[in-house]
Amino acid sequence: MDCYIYAVEKSLDSYKFNLLQNKQVFINQLKSRNLAARTIDEGAIDENGGGNFSEYVAILSGNDDLLEKAKLDKKLAVLESERQAYHRNKGNAKGKLNEKTAGIEKNNIFIGRFTRDWEYLNKVAPVDAETGLRPNPLKLDGVDSDNIEILGNRLAAINQKARTEDDYMKIGTLFDFRILVRTEKTCDGDTQALHNKFMVEGLDGIKYTYHNGYIAKDPKLAVMYFINALERIPGMIEKREKENAELSKDIPVLREIVAASWPKEGEIKQLGEELATLNRKIQLTLKPVGRHENVEGKEPEEQRLVSGSDVIPDLSRQAKHVPSMGIVSPARELKKYPNVSCGTLL
């Protein structure tokens, strides 16, 4: 069911919805680290939005250069924001390109190793044209017979009793491939169980499994386990080649993005030069603060100290010599004064 919320234009409801939208955009910007999602713009002079603070100051000053400077500052800020977003996207493209290239190289290495094992298997054990089967000269350590029942029972005994402590243990050979078994722990709630997994090791150390490594109970299927594991090599090669094809689709576009340069670099450089020239022009036209114009080219009159004032003008004057003052010691002789009769005051 759809829910609709109505708000009246140019009312408190509209103001609240716009405020919430701005907050959400700001939160998304912080989460995604994308500065291009939300930019600070003071607007420009028009009949609807008025003007920003810089433009008002420029107009009230009566200096057209200040207004032009405000416009250039705004345009330069927009271009710098675009350049930052462009370089961020370029960095992301470079990271993706390196990731896809590394993935292709890794797949090619595995394809080469798979191909070597497959070519060796076809060389030593080609498929019989009549039966469509390969020879399976499996040899298990401690077993001199090639009987399927005996080999199958031996594999079943190993599966039941072997404990390798998460390590690989060699139990036999198939041509130049080693037959290995490994004991793994599995947890089901609070209980732990031990399972043996069988595998055949390739010439370069790649370990091939079949049926997730679990050996069959039937002796015939158990003996065929390792040949079946090697038969999976063409499918593994095909899987890696498909991954390379998917990874290669975006590489030309990513390389073009990484190799390209920002098309507005010359424009931002030109704006910077124009702004620097305009700043010098403005500095020359502005008057120094605290200075007054002279009347008819005369120098400003020297300030005079007003009687009773504590203000002393800060004017440079010629230093004058002041004679030193001698210190006169007070007389220590007692002087005699005539007797003065003192009356008592009531």
Side-chain angles (χ1 to χ4, degrees):
M1 183 177 66
D2 296 334
C3 296
Y4 296 93
I5 300 176
Y6 295 92
V8 181
E9 293 183 357
K10 298 181 181 180
S11 64
L12 183 60
D13 294 337
S14 177
Y15 170 77
K16 288 183 177 180
F17 281 117
N18 290 332
L19 185 61
L20 290 175
Q21 182 183 6
N22 290 334
K23 289 182 178 179
Q24 186 62 46
V25 174
F26 179 71
I27 293 172
N28 294 337
Q29 181 182 14
L30 291 179
K31 289 183 178 180
S32 61
R33 299 180 180 179
N34 186 8
L35 294 179
R38 177 178 175 271
T39 57
I40 299 176
D41 187 3
E42 294 183 353
I45 295 178
D46 55 20
E47 58 184 3
N48 296 325
N52 59 41
F53 180 74
S54 301
E55 291 171 338
Y56 275 124
V57 171
I59 292 174
L60 295 176
S61 66
N63 191 344
D64 295 338
D65 293 335
L66 293 177
L67 181 59
E68 185 66 23
K69 179 181 180 300
K71 294 180 180 179
L72 288 178
D73 285 333
K74 179 182 176 181
K75 190 174 182 179
L76 187 61
V78 172
L79 289 177
E80 288 178 350
S81 178
E82 291 179 2
R83 180 174 63 178
Q84 188 176 10
Y86 174 83
H87 286 294
R88 186 187 304 106
N89 294 333
K90 185 175 181 179
N92 294 336
K94 185 176 181 180
K96 292 181 180 179
L97 177 61
N98 294 335
E99 181 181 354
K100 292 180 181 295
T101 304
I104 292 176
E105 292 178 356
K106 181 180 179 180
N107 287 338
N108 288 335
I109 292 174
F110 276 103
I111 289 174
R113 298 171 68 181
F114 294 152
T115 303
R116 182 184 177 190
D117 291 337
W118 183 247
E119 290 177 351
Y120 174 79
L121 179 63
N122 290 327
K123 179 180 178 181
V124 298
V127 178
D128 192 332
E130 296 181 359
T131 62
L133 301 176
R134 296 180 186 272
N136 186 19
L138 177 64
K139 295 181 180 180
L140 298 178
D141 296 342
V143 179
D144 294 333
S145 175
D146 56 355
N147 184 272
I148 294 178
E149 293 290 336
I150 296 176
L151 293 175
N153 292 334
R154 176 62 175 171
L155 290 173
I158 294 174
N159 186 30
Q160 184 177 2
K161 298 179 180 180
R163 296 294 180 266
T164 65
E165 302 296 335
D166 290 334
D167 197 4
Y168 296 99
M169 182 177 70
K170 176 180 174 295
I171 59 174
T173 57
L174 179 63
F175 304 110
D176 287 340
F177 300 124
R178 297 198 309 164
I179 306 301
L180 306 176
V181 64
R182 181 186 182 188
T183 305
E184 297 181 355
K185 295 180 181 180
T186 58
C187 297
D188 186 7
D190 297 334
T191 60
Q192 290 185 353
L194 299 177
H195 299 279
N196 287 315
K197 291 190 175 183
F198 294 81
M199 58 205 74
V200 53
E201 185 179 37
L203 301 177
D204 291 334
I206 297 179
K207 297 172 179 60
Y208 304 98
T209 61
Y210 182 75
H211 198 254
N212 294 327
Y214 296 106
I215 201 78
K217 294 181 180 180
D218 182 77
K220 184 177 180 179
L221 296 177
V223 173
M224 290 295 297
Y225 172 90
F226 306 101
I227 285 291
N228 291 333
L230 293 174
E231 290 288 348
R232 297 182 61 198
I233 293 179
M236 300 171 69
I237 294 175
E238 184 180 0
K239 179 182 177 181
R240 298 281 179 169
E241 290 177 347
K242 288 182 178 180
E243 290 181 1
N244 285 347
E246 290 294 328
L247 293 173
S248 301
K249 288 182 179 179
D250 298 332
I251 287 182
V253 178
L254 294 174
R255 285 178 177 173
E256 184 178 355
I257 294 175
V258 172
S261 58
W262 192 47
K264 297 182 180 180
E265 192 66 40
E267 183 178 354
I268 196 172
K269 183 178 180 181
Q270 182 180 358
L271 282 176
E273 294 176 354
E274 292 179 2
L275 188 59
T277 304
L278 194 58
N279 284 331
R280 288 193 296 268
K281 183 178 179 182
I282 292 173
Q283 293 296 329
L284 293 176
T285 56
L286 291 179
K287 300 172 185 177
V289 179
R291 296 289 299 275
H292 303 281
E293 295 181 356
N294 300 335
V295 180
E296 296 181 357
K298 295 182 180 180
E299 293 295 331
E301 295 183 358
E302 182 179 317
Q303 300 182 11
R304 297 179 181 179
L305 181 62
V306 182
S307 177
S309 174
D310 294 333
V311 179
I312 301 176
D314 187 12
L315 299 175
S316 58
R317 296 183 177 181
Q318 186 176 2
K320 297 181 180 180
H321 176 70
V322 180
S324 59
M325 300 176 62
I327 300 175
V328 180
S329 301
R332 296 183 178 179
E333 297 181 0
L334 296 177
K335 294 184 180 181
K336 198 176 200 179
Y337 293 92
N339 293 331
V340 179
S341 59
C342 298
T344 303
L345 298 176
L346 298 178

